[in-house]
Every structure is written in C-alpha cells, then in structure tokens.
Amino acid sequence: MKFINREADIKYLHNHFDSEPNSLLFLYGPKSSGKSTLLNKVVNEIDTKKYVINFLDLREMLIYDFNSFLDRFFPKTLYDKVQDIADGITFNIGFFGINLKNDEKLLSQNPFKLMGDKLRSAKEKNKQPIIILDEIQLLKNIYINGERYLIDELFNLFIRLTKVTHTAHIILSTSDSYFIEEIYNNAKLMKTTELYFIDHFDKKTVIDWLSTEMLTKKEIEDVWNYLGGSPWEINELLKKKNQRTKVIDICNYFVNDNYGKIYEFVRKMKDDYKEVFYEVIEQIINNQFCHPITIQNAKILDELLNIMVAHDFWFYKVNEQKITANSQSLLRAFERMIKERIY
C-alpha cells in the first residue's frame, strides 16, 4: 500500500521509542485505517544498532490454543547456541529461538519468565527491545490449560516489562474497539496503558493524495462522499481506476458490497436486536455518531455493540463513548438500510 502522510503519528511513535519504557501502548482505530502500514513504516526506519524489534502480525499466524501459541512465539532450534534475540528486526518468526538443550524445560514450566529473561538479556547488551503485536485481540479467547486466559498472563508480563522493570517497549495494535473498551474499564490496565488513536485520513489529505493521482475535482468529491478517508479502499479504487473503470462505479461497488454484507447480517437478527440496530444507525446517519447512553435497551446494545464491532460494521471511540460507522462506505450502506428496513 502506498504510504501517505502520517508525519504526526510517525513522530509520536519515534518519541515513544526514545523514551524509557513505562506503559503499554495500544494503537487502535477503524479497520483499514492504516495501523499496520504505519507500524511497518516506523519499524523500517528504526536504528538497529540501538533497538531490536520483533513484529508479529497475528492475522498471519494460526494460533488456536496454548500449545500453538508456544510454537509460534518460541520456534525451536537444534543449535547448541542461539542468540537471545535476533539482531535488528524480525517479522513473524516468533520472539526467540529456543535452545532445546537449555531452554525447553523452562519453556514448558514458565514461558513468560523465559520471555522476560530473553528481553532482559538483550537490554544488558545495550539494545532496547521493542515487541509489536498486531491485532492482539486474536489471542483473547485462548486458555492456558483450560483454566485462565492467555491474554491476562501476557498483560501481567507486559505490565512488568514496561511499568515495573522498564525493560521493553510493548506496542499492541487492534481494530477491535470493543476490546479496547474492556481494557479501558480494567482497573489494572488503566494506570499502565496508553491509548493512541489512528483514524482514517482527513479530507485535506485525501484531496492532496488524489490530486497527485490525476483525479478530477468531481471524482475526488465522489471518493470523499462515498469512501471518506479509508486508505485501503482508496488504494483499491486507484487500482481499479487504472483498469479504466469509472470512479463513481467503484465507489458504488464498495457501498453495495457493504450493503450486501450488513443486509444478510441484519436479516438473521431477532426483532428486538433489529430495533436497537436501526435506532443506533439512525443516530449515526443524523449525527455521525451515537452515544450508547441514549439507547434505552442497554443490555441488547451491549451485546450488539460487541458483535457489530467484531464484524467491522461499527466502531466504538472509547474515550468519546461514541458509536460510529466503521467507514464512510458503511455509512452510505446504513443510509440504504434505513430506506429499505428489513423485518
């Protein structure tokens, strides 16, 4: 994906890495807002003489239970000697090579201690460790031995590595804003976590970008009205435009595709869930957002919010307590839903 703008976000992340580790950093924002692209950009600018970075994109790793987590995070090696942590930057190859002779016993007994030991070892070599986990919410339903949640144990470790011992920077990225809401209300994490919001592009950025792509003013206005500032959708539009497809037709394609997905989803809802759904999207259409406190059936809304966020239809702005459409193209699909109510 072509990298556009984000100078302020890049500066923020570099400043964060230059400071002493003192809190977990959560990057969150709507799906396709460019979080992963931003992280890749910053990581590739890092001075590898000063930092060691391990970047894991959990969408590309099949982790379904605790054993598969260990296999992905701690790839085993038959070498007698391995580095405590890879020099420079590693992507999706696990955190640390495991020495079968020396480390496997500790791995089976306490993998979290082993992780901490490896990071401290890197720190002692005057290298600042940075751990980045993209789409961290994908670990939230995994148990350890059927008793406790893996993610809770990881958070305990991450808090110790940042807030307590100042050993490593921990960056956790997610598009699941309901997951962020759970963290925001967790007393243990509240005082140890920093939240940073990555939004879609603003109108000026979209205009500047598309002007360089030789779109007309009318085409740029159509893109903004139908797709807003979604980096992924705009990139896809530019690919299709190169195939001599009209811009307005591509915009309508995205809206129609979203409408089809949301239509099938709502059609299967119970009537009381449909009522709450329509109540929420009417407010989103009229005000650009919905405050949950304005919805009377709080229990159904809470359940529906979790579901709609998980399926990337709604986005929840935690600090503002606002429900929004996950994208401009979804907002346009919601407008159509209101006209063609499903009962």
Side-chain angles (χ1 to χ4, degrees):
M1 182 182 294
K2 183 176 180 179
F3 192 84
I4 303 293
N5 204 331
R6 300 295 190 195
E7 283 82 2
D9 300 325
I10 291 171
K11 182 178 179 180
Y12 173 86
L13 287 172
H14 278 298
N15 288 339
H16 182 82
F17 293 150
D18 285 341
S19 65
E20 181 181 62
N22 196 43
S23 62
L24 296 177
L25 176 60
F26 269 94
L27 264 61
Y28 79 108
K31 185 179 180 183
S32 302
S33 58
K35 297 179 294 299
S36 300
T37 305
L38 171 66
L39 285 170
N40 275 278
K41 171 74 171 175
V42 173
V43 162
N44 282 290
E45 294 176 349
I46 286 291
D47 181 1
T48 55
K49 294 180 181 178
K50 184 178 178 181
Y51 299 97
V52 285
I53 300 180
N54 201 284
F55 191 128
L56 293 181
D57 184 345
L58 297 178
R59 289 166 297 196
E60 297 183 13
M61 310 182 81
L62 181 60
I63 300 177
Y64 50 88
D65 61 15
F66 186 54
N67 287 329
S68 61
F69 160 78
L70 294 179
D71 289 340
R72 300 298 183 274
F73 274 55
F74 299 94
K76 298 179 179 62
T77 175
L78 295 174
Y79 294 111
D80 291 332
K81 294 181 180 179
V82 295
Q83 290 174 279
D84 285 335
I85 189 167
D87 290 331
I89 304 168
T90 61
F91 289 88
N92 291 341
I93 60 170
F95 276 107
F96 318 103
I98 297 303
N99 184 318
L100 290 180
K101 184 184 293 184
N102 300 326
D103 294 331
E104 192 167 28
K105 183 177 181 181
L106 181 57
L107 175 64
S108 63
Q109 293 174 344
N110 192 339
F112 307 105
K113 182 180 185 307
L114 180 60
M115 187 184 294
D117 289 347
K118 298 288 186 181
L119 289 167
R120 281 186 287 273
S121 177
K123 187 86 169 183
E124 289 167 2
K125 296 174 182 176
N126 295 318
K127 292 254 190 172
Q128 176 60 65
I130 299 174
I131 302 300
I132 299 174
L133 297 181
D134 201 0
E135 298 297 352
I136 181 66
Q137 79 280 358
L138 296 176
L139 298 179
K140 68 181 180 180
N141 293 320
I142 295 176
Y143 284 92
I144 300 175
N145 300 325
E147 298 174 355
R148 58 193 193 280
Y149 282 112
L150 165 64
I151 204 161
D152 289 340
E153 297 301 318
L154 281 174
F155 281 154
N156 288 335
L157 172 67
F158 292 161
I159 290 170
R160 179 168 179 77
L161 290 172
T162 53
K163 189 76 175 179
V164 179
T165 65
H166 313 292
T167 300
H169 286 296
I170 310 293
I171 314 298
L172 308 174
S173 171
T174 182
S175 57
D176 188 338
S177 52
Y178 192 84
F179 177 67
I180 290 290
E181 166 72 357
E182 293 172 331
I183 291 166
Y184 197 72
N185 293 321
N186 185 314
K188 179 178 67 175
L189 291 172
M190 196 180 299
K191 297 178 181 179
T192 60
T193 300
E194 186 176 345
L195 302 181
Y196 190 77
F197 181 60
I198 305 293
D199 203 354
H200 289 144
F201 292 138
D202 60 22
K203 187 172 184 178
K204 182 181 183 305
T205 301
V206 172
I207 292 173
D208 291 346
W209 177 12
L210 295 183
S211 295
T212 67
E213 300 288 346
M214 308 306 293
L215 268 69
T216 66
K217 288 184 179 180
K218 174 63 167 60
E219 289 173 331
I220 293 173
E221 197 63 31
D222 285 339
V223 171
W224 178 252
N225 288 333
Y226 285 85
L227 306 184
S230 170
W232 183 84
E233 288 183 340
I234 294 174
N235 265 290
E236 291 300 303
L237 176 138
L238 292 173
K239 291 179 189 176
K240 294 179 186 298
K241 181 180 180 297
N242 290 334
Q243 300 167 6
R244 301 184 182 278
T245 307
K246 290 182 179 179
V247 166
I248 190 62
D249 291 340
I250 304 169
C251 292
N252 279 315
Y253 164 81
F254 281 110
V255 174
N256 292 336
D257 184 58
N258 280 324
Y259 176 81
K261 291 173 182 175
I262 194 73
Y263 177 93
E264 286 303 313
F265 200 81
V266 173
R267 186 174 62 84
K268 299 172 184 176
M269 282 183 185
K270 296 178 181 178
D271 288 344
D272 49 356
Y273 281 75
K274 286 180 184 176
E275 290 297 331
V276 172
F277 167 78
Y278 283 119
E279 191 176 351
V280 170
I281 67 168
E282 278 187 311
Q283 289 197 35
I284 292 174
I285 291 167
N286 293 331
N287 307 315
Q288 299 297 310
F289 64 85
C290 169
H291 277 306
I293 196 171
T294 63
I295 305 300
Q296 288 189 346
N297 198 326
K299 182 179 179 181
I300 286 182
L301 175 63
D302 190 53
E303 294 176 7
L304 193 58
L305 180 58
N306 187 7
I307 295 168
M308 299 300 284
V309 166
H311 286 80
D312 298 317
F313 294 131
W314 292 350
F315 184 79
Y316 186 59
K317 291 187 175 181
V318 176
N319 56 336
E320 299 178 16
Q321 296 188 330
K322 292 178 179 178
I323 304 170
T324 66
N326 211 330
S327 66
Q328 182 75 358
S329 59
L330 271 162
L331 178 63
R332 296 292 173 239
F334 291 159
E335 290 172 345
R336 184 174 166 189
M337 293 290 295
I338 289 294
K339 294 177 182 178
E340 305 173 12
R341 288 186 180 234
I342 307 164
Y343 290 103

